[in-house]
């Protein structure tokens, strides 16, 4: 039994929900997001209560316990979409290093992080990227897209433990290591 899947999802007044075939479309002030779900999961929207309920056949759940995971995942994805179109998601990155920086040029993010050539990343539609000194803020309605862009940005120059240089999440703590210790003679 999925404890998460069992909970109903409350829908705010400024959000519109449409269920067609096996796709849930959520429209709010920050845009429209779609989620498709597996055929074993039943999704219903109650207009009067303004809530979405996800269900699964209990008999099939006994035969195949993995269906509980699909049930909970479907509910979590729909809930993430509702939060995304109302509040949005954001991630802050920090570029640490002498002479290292990030600059937004049109629809591209240019990273100068110690390589001979600078790295250029295309900013996907639906994301807003702003740079303030060494901090890069990524905002958008789609949780997966925001996280993926931040992760890809970090992969270009992961933080290293000796000097602490690299691209890191703002809340990330880098465990520092001491360098080689020389014995005095």
């Amino acid at each position: 039994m999925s404890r998460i899947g069992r909970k109903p999802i409350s829908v705010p007044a400024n959000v519109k929900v449409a269920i067609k075939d096996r796709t849930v479309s959520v429209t709010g002030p920050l845009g429209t997001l779609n989620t498709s779900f597996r055929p074993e999961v039943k999704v219903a929207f109650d207009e009067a209560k303004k809530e979405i309920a996800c269900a699964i056949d209990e008999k099939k759940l006994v035969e195949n316990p993995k269906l509980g995971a699909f049930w909970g995942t479907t509910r979590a994805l729909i809930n993430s979409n509702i939060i995304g179109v109302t509040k949005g998601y954001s991630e802050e990155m920090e570029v640490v290093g002498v002479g290292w920086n990030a600059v937004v040029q049109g629809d591209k993010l240019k990273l100068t992080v110690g390589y001979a050539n600078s790295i250029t990343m295309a900013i996907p539609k639906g994301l807003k990227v702003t740079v303030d000194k060494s901090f890069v803020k990524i905002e958008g309605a789609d949780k997966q897209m925001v996280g993926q862009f931040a992760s890809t940005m970090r992969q270009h120059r992961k933080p290293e433990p000796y000097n602490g240089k690299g691209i890191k999440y703002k809340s990330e703590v880098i465990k520092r290591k001491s360098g080689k210790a020389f014995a005095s003679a």
Side-chain angles (χ1 to χ4, degrees):
M1 301 305 249
S2 174
R3 284 184 239 147
I4 294 172
R6 191 176 276 146
K7 294 178 187 175
I9 306 165
S10 61
V11 179
N14 58 350
V15 175
K16 294 179 183 174
V17 177
I19 300 171
K20 186 177 180 185
D21 297 326
R22 288 187 7 237
T23 304
V24 178
S25 179
V26 180
T27 306
L30 297 179
T32 302
L33 295 174
N34 298 317
T35 302
S36 56
F37 53 91
R38 294 190 50 100
E40 298 93 353
V41 181
K42 308 292 182 241
V43 178
F45 176 56
D46 187 359
E47 189 74 45
K49 292 183 182 177
K50 292 292 273 184
E51 63 183 26
I52 299 172
C54 297
I56 202 161
D57 188 12
E58 301 286 335
K59 293 174 186 169
K60 289 182 181 177
L61 189 61
V62 174
E63 296 168 10
N64 188 358
K66 290 183 180 179
L67 295 180
F70 299 142
W71 186 13
T73 301
T74 302
R75 189 245 181 233
L77 290 173
I78 296 169
N79 191 42
S80 293
N81 285 354
I82 290 175
I83 293 170
V85 297
T86 54
K87 299 176 188 170
Y89 290 99
S90 69
E91 193 70 65
E92 280 201 56
M93 306 296 286
E94 184 177 3
V95 179
V96 180
V98 176
W100 293 13
N101 64 7
V103 179
V104 175
Q105 295 177 337
D107 62 341
K108 297 190 185 301
L109 177 68
K110 182 179 174 187
L111 299 170
T112 306
V113 288
Y115 295 122
N117 298 322
S118 58
I119 299 164
T120 305
M121 294 178 62
I123 300 171
K125 291 188 179 190
L127 288 186
K128 179 184 173 193
V129 178
T130 56
V131 177
D132 181 34
K133 296 183 183 175
S134 64
F135 295 100
V136 179
K137 188 169 188 176
I138 305 160
E139 298 174 305
D142 191 354
K143 184 178 185 178
Q144 193 273 334
M145 194 183 299
V146 170
Q148 183 65 47
F149 188 79
S151 175
T152 304
M153 183 179 161
R154 184 180 184 274
Q155 285 176 352
H156 287 298
R157 194 69 173 216
K158 290 183 180 176
E160 52 97 9
Y162 296 101
N163 296 324
K165 297 192 310 185
I167 300 172
K168 68 181 194 86
Y169 295 100
K170 186 177 179 184
S171 60
E172 183 178 8
V173 177
I174 307 299
K175 266 188 149 177
R176 300 295 292 267
K177 294 180 179 179
S178 60
K180 290 182 180 178
F182 294 100
S184 59

